[in-house]
Amino acid sequence: KQEVTQIPAALSVPEGENLVLNCSFTDSAIYNLQWFRQDPGKGLTSLLLIQSSQREQTSGRLNASLDKSSGRSTLYIAASQPGDSATYLCAVNNFNKFYFGSGTKLNVKP
Amino acid sequence: DVKVTQSSRYLVKRTGEKVFLECVQDMDHENMFWYRQDPGLGLRLIYFSYDVKMKEKGDIPEGYSVSREKKERFSLILESASTNQTSMYLCASRRPLAGGETQYFGPGTRLLVL
């Protein structure tokens, strides 16, 4: 069964820093990997989706990479802002089943 | 914009009650999903549905059932609620394109079983 791990579990940084969130998974036979953002008490919002044939995806200040063979993905956030404070989750898609990590809780201090 | 709505944001129920959680999406998506989210455990799939009247068990189906009579609506049923079903419940939908497409999530229902 697929297992998804995210480290660190929590991260606190000053505004303006660049940061990297990590996601690892045990079964490399995935269709795609997705990064989500979750604000407290809310649902999930999709940030980036990387297909298994792709190496990275970019959206604004966000860049996600995928190394399927090593079972790893990173989410890079450039020039962090207080509005980026949220929990970030990665999810892998194994044939219509989605497996989520427990998330990294990010706090960006003004 | 895709919209996924859930019938309640907060629910308080008693042990043994039958509980219905409703999810509606407005984008004609074939696939719909029910997850529960618990601290330290992440999101875990309870059930999903490929299309109308089709359902498949996820990783933790025990104590739950589902119903999908119409394409836009996917219901989660707790036959006899127990305290260990206190959790945040999230519904999602998506169109099953080749290679996969993003899931769209509802705002969640926080259920407390006393």
Side-chain angles (χ1 to χ4, degrees):
Chain A
K1 184 195 157 186
Q2 178 76 268
E3 290 186 8
V4 181
T5 304
Q6 290 186 248
I7 51 172
L11 185 60
S12 184
V13 300
E15 181 177 4
E17 270 203 12
N18 302 325
L19 56 101
V20 175
L21 307 181
N22 296 291
C23 173
S24 61
F25 48 95
T26 54
D27 182 355
S28 62
I30 64 171
Y31 280 176
N32 57 51
L33 181 144
Q34 202 162 0
W35 283 93
F36 291 89
R37 170 189 171 130
Q38 186 177 30
D39 293 289
K42 302 281 180 68
L44 278 66
T45 301
S46 178
L47 297 172
L48 290 164
L49 183 149
I50 312 177
Q51 302 294 353
S52 62
S53 59
Q54 297 175 321
R55 298 283 297 189
E56 65 179 321
Q57 281 284 335
T58 298
S59 176
R61 294 183 293 109
L62 305 180
N63 175 277
S65 69
L66 174 64
D67 184 344
K68 205 172 73 159
S69 60
S70 68
R72 293 184 183 182
S73 176
T74 61
L75 178 67
Y76 175 82
I77 303 176
S80 58
Q81 303 170 357
D84 294 331
S85 298
T87 297
Y88 291 80
L89 297 105
C90 71
V92 297
N93 178 0
N94 283 106
F95 188 59
N96 275 337
K97 286 197 174 181
F98 295 83
Y99 296 90
F100 287 79
S102 297
T104 294
K105 188 173 183 179
L106 174 64
N107 178 36
V108 181
K109 298 172 286 187
Chain B
D1 266 4
V2 176
K3 196 166 217 178
V4 181
T5 57
Q6 295 183 229
S7 50
S8 305
R9 295 299 308 274
Y10 301 96
L11 271 181
V12 180
K13 296 291 180 181
R14 298 232 171 250
T15 302
E17 278 193 73
K18 191 168 186 175
V19 181
F20 293 86
L21 303 182
E22 299 280 329
C23 175
V24 178
Q25 49 94 4
D26 66 358
M27 285 301 292
D28 203 36
H29 285 171
E30 287 82 2
N31 296 171
M32 295 188 76
F33 306 81
W34 274 108
Y35 297 90
R36 64 177 282 177
Q37 184 177 29
D38 301 287
L41 296 176
L43 273 79
R44 292 177 292 166
L45 182 64
I46 304 171
Y47 268 97
F48 67 101
S49 170
Y50 289 113
D51 210 330
V52 178
K53 296 192 186 295
M54 299 174 71
K55 61 185 179 184
E56 190 160 327
K57 293 179 181 179
D59 296 316
I60 50 164
E62 296 79 18
Y64 303 95
S65 62
V66 290
S67 172
R68 184 118 181 253
E69 296 297 317
K70 293 185 177 182
K71 195 172 189 178
E72 67 270 19
R73 188 179 298 268
F74 192 33
S75 302
L76 180 70
I77 302 151
L78 286 65
E79 297 290 343
S80 177
S82 63
T83 54
N84 63 13
Q85 293 179 309
T86 291
S87 187
M88 173 74 136
Y89 290 87
L90 291 161
C91 173
S93 74
R94 72 162 197 164
R95 183 176 295 112
L97 297 177
E101 195 185 85
T102 188
Q103 293 183 80
Y104 296 89
F105 280 82
T109 296
R110 191 167 292 281
L111 173 66
L112 173 62
V113 182
L114 299 173

